Amino acid sequence: MSDIPKADELFKSIDYNPPLTGWMETPVDFSPGHWCYPAKPEKIAYMETKLPGLWGEPREWLPSDADWKLPANWKETVVNGFRERLKKFRSLQLFMDICVRCGACADKCHYFIGSGDPKNMPVLRAELMRSVYRGEFTVAGKILSKFTGSRVMEENVLKEWFIYFYQCTQCRRCSLFCPYGIDTAEMTMMARELMHLVGLNTNWIMEPVSNCNITGNHLGIQPHAFKDIVDFMVDDIEEVTGRRVKAPLNEKGHEILFITPSGDVFADPGIYTFMGYLLLFDYLDLDYTLSTYASEGGNFGSFTNNEVMKKLNAKMYAEAERLGCKWILGGECGHMWRVVHQYMDTMTGDTQWSGMTTPKSPITGTVFNNAAATKMLHITEFTADLIKHNKLKLDPSRNDHLRVTFHDSCNPARGMGLLDEPRYVLKHVCNNFFEMPPATIREQTFCCAGGSGLNTDEIMEIRLRGGLPRGNALRYVQEQHGVNLMACICAIDRATLIPLANYWAPGVTIAGTHELVANALVLEEGEVRTMDMRQEPLPGFEDEDDDWTPPTKEDA
């Protein structure tokens, strides 16, 4: 991040004065740093064999070049695709027609707040699409043209789409404030679908999609490598706790299939969250299995098109049926839960999964009727229920070296209403919990600015600008309450919030909620735990000399 201005300089550079030119005449900056790298041709070629007709022609191109090497019939493809989706998706037609440009959403987008660019206002970002709708599909727009804010689809228009619809994280904060309920995030999804048709794809999205089709997870982890990683975590858990936990893989006949995002398997700090899951399940003697084939909960299909979204969602259920599992327990993920909660029932219904049942906790007996349609329960709901029924022995003082706040990840918060359960869990495993300001949390939470496939380094300044609102709220509780850790329930957040916190609130680390659960979990009476899941000393066991080693069980 050496080329990015310091935080105070970036903050002072934001200019909310509108440009002197009208929005249609204001030029777009195509210089590097303003766009994500295009998808590698081999990734597009592979996906074209799996879902043909959705990806355009594989090719090498750069947004900074004048020639984007669009197919000869690109305009016809985009316009016809737009027409088809207006007929197929009733909501899209409504969103095109009912906006009155009231501006209620204008200052709600984190990217506008951090950049001052009017085209990052949700109302104007949507207008990039609505103007083409009016120009191509309405009589008034065709006759009166710019007098009605209309324009036809031209190459410069499509290029503008690419820049700005990939500066939308589909977080839906704007929709919360829209008096008509317009969901600009869904418009972004449709615009991206149309761009994919002519090969305007980004690699940070298409590579995970391709990998997920090949290996079952975004990172391309092969089954044997997945097993090796889990084995390493089992070793680390034993190092921390002295307990050798079970981690069943691909075993048939278990009640529960557990699926979590691959970021929890591969990346720091997600691995500590995964270790928390394994420790909790072993403590409960839970009847579950992992799968090396459905080894991904995340769904990058929600950033490409509805067909991929449906396909990647279905793989989890196909694997549950193959293994004979009754229901699915899902880990701390964002877009996995947005797809499951908001779109799955519409896409597939529950008739396909006839062998599965409504989730019922084998520990407490609670039947989770809210998951009756999806047969899938969020790990935080599961753990909150355990705590409510006094099924976990917890020592929150083990987290006393942490002063914790909570980031409501957009998809579980606004997308599925998971607001109270993570807080309930955190308040039982931490003695020092502090909320960020009310207008920045729960339904009104600010985005990490790296969701929807934008957590890529080539747009780091854009991400950090977009992260200003969340960073500002984090800095506030850091200064007021000494907060040094922000917990979340999303694997993307566990990656994107690290550079955000380092930039806007240096000294705050990021963790998954179940890492803190694992720290606090008392496995047996009289247990002495000297390290947390990161193998750092717990309070009272700080390293006082270079030769310090954690006491063994025998020493205790």
Side-chain angles (χ1 to χ4, degrees), residues 57 173 187 244 258 330 456 480 552 555:
E57 299 173 1
R173 190 173 194 267
M187 294 176 65
R244 187 76 182 177
F258 178 67
T456 180
Q480 294 295 314
T552 64
D555 292 336

Side-chain angles (χ1 to χ4, degrees), residues 203-456:
N203 199 65
W204 199 250
I205 292 174
M206 290 310 303
E207 189 154 342
V209 166
S210 173
N211 287 342
C212 209
N213 273 269
I214 297 170
T215 67
N217 61 74
H218 294 155
L219 298 172
I221 303 170
Q222 298 285 347
H224 60 282
F226 186 95
K227 180 184 184 304
D228 288 344
I229 294 169
V230 172
D231 287 344
F232 286 136
M233 290 191 199
V234 170
D235 291 340
D236 284 348
I237 292 171
E238 186 173 20
E239 180 73 19
V240 171
T241 67
R243 185 181 183 118
R244 187 76 182 177
V245 304
K246 300 184 294 291
L249 284 164
N250 301 329
E251 293 184 3
K252 292 187 176 182
H254 292 283
E255 179 183 3
I256 300 166
L257 173 62
F258 178 67
I259 300 178
T260 193
S262 55
D264 284 351
V265 183
F266 183 77
D268 181 343
I271 54 173
Y272 308 117
T273 305
F274 196 103
M275 289 164 63
Y277 305 144
L278 295 179
L279 190 62
L280 175 65
F281 298 160
D282 192 79
Y283 174 91
L284 298 171
D285 195 22
L286 193 68
D287 183 22
Y288 85 104
T289 186
L290 298 157
S291 168
T292 59
Y293 300 99
S295 51
E296 178 65 68
N299 194 324
F300 270 51
S302 59
F303 314 145
T304 54
N305 59 61
N306 63 93
E307 294 301 321
V308 178
M309 187 196 308
K310 182 177 178 179
K311 185 175 189 287
L312 298 185
N313 182 72
K315 80 177 188 306
M316 300 188 295
Y317 292 85
E319 183 67 352
E321 289 207 320
R322 186 185 76 84
L323 295 174
C325 299
K326 295 300 183 183
W327 55 278
I328 300 173
L329 184 61
E332 297 180 9
C333 184
H335 38 84
M336 167 172 74
W337 287 105
R338 172 107 180 264
V339 172
V340 168
H341 186 78
Q342 286 196 295
Y343 299 115
M344 176 191 153
D345 200 26
T346 302
M347 292 188 297
T348 63
D350 62 356
T351 56
Q352 281 183 264
W353 326 117
S354 56
M356 301 178 70
T357 61
T358 299
K360 177 181 178 180
S361 173
I363 312 301
T364 67
T366 299
V367 178
F368 293 90
N369 289 312
N370 60 305
T374 65
K375 311 296 188 290
M376 190 167 179
L377 182 67
H378 196 288
I379 182 69
T380 311
E381 295 175 285
F382 179 73
T383 303
D385 178 66
L386 293 170
I387 294 172
K388 180 181 179 181
H389 287 89
N390 298 312
K391 298 299 183 181
L392 301 181
K393 185 170 178 58
L394 300 167
D395 180 2
S397 70
R398 291 178 179 172
N399 287 315
D400 278 355
H401 57 306
L402 304 173
R403 300 178 69 79
V404 180
T405 193
F406 180 68
H407 165 69
D408 289 277
S409 303
C410 299
N411 288 312
R414 274 189 293 270
M416 67 179 293
L418 196 66
L419 305 170
D420 294 316
E421 291 86 346
R423 288 173 167 81
Y424 184 81
V425 171
L426 286 171
K427 289 176 181 179
H428 280 83
V429 301
C430 302
N431 287 321
N432 306 305
F433 178 79
F434 306 92
E435 291 278 18
M436 288 180 280
T440 72
I441 60 172
R442 299 178 73 88
E443 294 94 337
Q444 296 187 51
T445 184
F446 275 108
C447 184
C448 69
S452 81
L454 302 188
N455 54 320
T456 180

Side-chain angles (χ1 to χ4, degrees), residues 22-26 119 131 134 146 149-151 156 160:
W23 72 266
M24 290 190 192
E25 290 75 34
T26 302
K119 291 178 187 177
S131 60
R134 288 191 292 270
K146 287 189 177 181
S150 306
R151 56 183 183 173
N156 66 310
E160 189 176 45

Side-chain angles (χ1 to χ4, degrees), residues 137-158:
F137 303 116
T138 70
V139 174
K142 290 179 179 179
I143 294 174
L144 298 175
S145 187
K146 287 189 177 181
F147 290 106
T148 59
S150 306
R151 56 183 183 173
V152 296
M153 175 54 72
E154 300 289 356
E155 189 168 333
N156 66 310
V157 174
L158 187 65

Side-chain angles (χ1 to χ4, degrees), residues 515-532:
E515 176 186 340
L516 305 184
V517 172
N519 285 348
L521 192 61
V522 179
L523 302 176
E524 57 188 49
E525 197 67 35
E527 175 199 19
V528 175
R529 183 94 67 84
T530 63
M531 293 184 289
D532 63 17

